[in-house]
Amino acid sequence: MKQEPEQITYPNLPLAIYRELAAHLRQIEGIIIDLIPQQSQQFDYTQSQVDHLQLHYPLNLSSDAKQQIDTILNYYAQRYGDYERKILTTLS
């Protein structure tokens, strides 16, 4: 069973770095990552082609794996600026 997905947004992260971040997170067993494209109707070269990534993982993910996620996210935050992390809820 999967938990509700988390949305991870780095406001100034370029596409290539979002892909690199996703690749690092996918190395953790049980992690599924979706890159969500930018929804803006106006092209802006300074804006990433990725709006955010969605992070999915099992409810029983180990605390070590959760710590590894935090470590990876914080590594990118130190280099590219703070990120926003929130749990997405679905309507049932």
Side-chain angles (χ1 to χ4, degrees), residues 8-87:
I8 312 291
T9 307
Y10 288 81
N12 300 311
L13 207 60
L15 173 62
I17 305 303
Y18 260 116
R19 287 182 175 168
E20 178 182 301
L21 169 59
H24 283 136
L25 290 170
R26 285 183 181 120
Q27 292 178 10
I28 302 169
E29 188 173 340
I31 298 295
I32 299 170
I33 299 293
D34 296 314
L35 293 173
I36 307 304
Q38 183 59 250
Q39 301 299 314
S40 176
Q41 298 299 315
Q42 298 294 324
F43 176 77
D44 181 350
Y45 184 78
T46 62
Q47 189 175 42
S48 177
Q49 293 92 342
V50 174
D51 185 64
H52 64 274
L53 61 82
Q54 285 186 4
L55 171 68
H56 307 263
Y57 55 87
L59 290 172
N60 63 349
L61 190 68
S62 73
S63 59
D64 286 344
K66 289 178 183 178
Q67 179 60 44
Q68 192 173 3
I69 292 169
D70 291 340
T71 299
I72 292 168
L73 294 176
N74 290 329
Y75 172 86
Y76 284 89
Q78 289 174 355
R79 278 140 191 86
Y80 300 100
D82 289 336
Y83 63 94
E84 180 182 330
R85 184 176 185 180
K86 64 182 177 180
I87 295 179

